[in-house]
Amino acid sequence: MDNKVTMEIQKTALRLKRNYDNQRLFDIALGDLVPKKDMIVSIINDLRILTFPGFFGSENMAYVSKENFAGYTLSIMAEKLLKQVELALAYDHVIDDALMLEQEAKRVVIEFTEQIADIQAMIMKDVEAEFDGDPAAKNMEDIIFSYPGIYAIFVYRYAHALYRLNVPYIPRIMTEYAHSETGIDINPGAEIGEYFCIDHGTGIVIGETTVIGKHVKIYQGVTLGALSTRAGQELSGVKRHPTIEDNVVIYANTTILGGETVVGENAVVAGNTFVTKSIPANSKVASTMPELEIRTK
């Protein structure tokens, strides 16, 4: 290697060393103490196989005992999850005693596993909502195999269960992975009712304290966000995102902001609308349409 290149590498290495010292990045063996993203993605894939048997695994469901299939896949998933939950709890200093840490991780995995059948049933209702709401869908299989909205909702629903069990890090890693795969950003803290339909989906943002009712449909580019985050951590735990009641439709590129903003049931919000105050039930809301100017040659 050229001497000038070698010298520059040495200089940069020294500067990085100083950065690391200031940032304390080498004070702990970080890689051994935090949840592993690749293992969490593997858990997502196990949950996907459990949720949609025969679609994403190698099993032939015509020759497999359904109960044995579910039990075997659950066992694999639970073993991975137990280790990652232990790492997350330990790194967050939730529990420092090793025995208590192991017991708490087991409790989380047991309670999470208890919810899986109900979550799976709810996700299938989301698939039904997608099919009912999209005339371009050929069948349910089309949606399960290929719709990014269903993938984002599927990951969110399991991440939300872990969020409610107060598991640090893992729920957000899960939903951010789905975000990177789909362009749909659903915070695991959001509360979303059944029969939720995302049409197209790219660019959707749903904030942590958002509450969404049943039979809600939203289109691409919708933001359900906070009015201001300048206060930063002072707003942690505060309701800062909107509430969307049952049977609401929100069209593309609409922004709805604020923890006190409520979109009433059966409301329809037109595309490209900016909303910062509550909308009554059974109403239709739209911004004034921009005037088009058309010139002929």
Side-chain angles (χ1 to χ4, degrees):
M1 187 178 293
D2 184 86
N3 286 340
K4 290 183 178 179
V5 175
T6 301
M7 289 176 61
E8 188 57 44
I9 288 172
Q10 291 173 343
K11 286 167 57 180
T12 301
L14 180 60
R15 291 178 62 197
L16 281 170
K17 183 265 183 190
R18 291 170 182 154
N19 287 353
Y20 299 152
D21 287 342
N22 293 332
Q23 297 156 358
R24 302 180 62 191
L25 285 178
F26 274 83
D27 286 7
I28 57 171
L30 189 63
D32 297 328
L33 296 178
V34 295
K36 307 291 189 295
K37 182 178 178 180
D38 60 341
M39 290 303 299
I40 293 168
V41 172
S42 179
I43 290 166
I44 291 172
N45 291 335
D46 291 339
L47 290 168
R48 200 181 193 195
I49 290 169
L50 280 167
T51 304
F52 306 114
F55 281 81
F56 300 105
S58 58
E59 68 285 344
N60 186 333
M61 297 308 295
Y63 302 99
V64 171
S65 161
K66 293 178 175 64
E67 185 176 351
N68 288 346
F69 155 77
Y72 175 72
T73 311
L74 280 168
S75 296
I76 293 172
M77 182 279 302
E79 184 176 355
K80 297 175 187 175
L81 182 61
L82 181 64
K83 176 62 175 175
Q84 298 310 306
V85 171
E86 282 188 22
L87 287 169
L89 293 173
Y91 184 69
D92 211 40
H93 301 290
V94 175
I95 300 171
D96 292 322
D97 181 81
L99 181 59
M100 291 179 64
L101 180 68
E102 182 181 358
Q103 291 173 344
E104 176 63 11
K106 287 180 180 178
R107 182 195 68 80
V108 167
V109 171
I110 289 168
E111 292 191 18
F112 176 73
T113 302
E114 285 175 350
Q115 299 178 59
I116 286 176
D118 291 335
I119 296 171
Q120 190 270 346
M122 183 175 282
I123 292 168
M124 291 309 297
K125 291 179 181 179
D126 298 322
V127 173
E128 185 179 338
E130 292 275 1
F131 181 72
D132 291 342
D134 186 0
K138 306 304 181 197
N139 48 44
M140 298 284 220
E141 290 80 2
D142 189 19
I143 291 164
I144 292 169
F145 272 128
S146 59
Y147 275 42
I150 277 298
Y151 186 77
I153 294 167
F154 144 75
V155 174
Y156 152 78
R157 293 218 182 271
Y158 287 112
H160 180 66
L162 291 169
Y163 178 95
R164 288 178 62 85
L165 290 168
N166 297 314
V167 176
Y169 305 115
I170 294 174
R172 192 63 184 265
I173 293 171
M174 292 172 70
T175 55
E176 289 299 341
Y177 176 74
H179 182 195
S180 70
E181 292 289 300
T182 64
I184 299 167
D185 182 1
I186 308 176
N187 189 287
E191 300 277 348
I192 301 177
E194 61 186 21
Y195 290 97
F196 182 48
C197 177
I198 289 176
D199 203 329
H200 302 294
T202 305
I204 285 174
V205 177
I206 299 175
E208 180 185 29
T209 62
T210 303
V211 177
I212 297 176
K214 301 176 182 178
H215 294 267
V216 170
K217 182 177 185 180
I218 64 177
Y219 286 77
Q220 69 273 15
V222 168
T223 295
L224 305 177
L227 274 169
S228 174
T229 57
R230 289 181 183 177
Q233 288 299 313
E234 294 177 20
L235 293 173
S236 179
V238 175
K239 176 80 167 78
R240 56 195 186 276
H241 302 97
T243 296
I244 312 299
E245 295 186 343
D246 296 348
N247 302 306
V248 169
V249 178
I250 305 172
Y251 284 98
N253 300 315
T254 287
T255 297
I256 303 175
L257 304 179
E260 297 181 1
T261 303
V262 178
V263 179
E265 62 182 11
N266 304 311
V268 176
V269 185
N272 298 298
T273 303
F274 190 84
V275 178
T276 57
K277 62 182 180 180
S278 293
I279 295 170
N282 305 302
S283 59
K284 295 183 179 180
V285 178
S287 298
T288 303
M289 289 292 290
E291 184 176 336
L292 296 178
E293 180 180 341
I294 301 174
R295 299 179 180 179
T296 58
K297 291 183 180 180

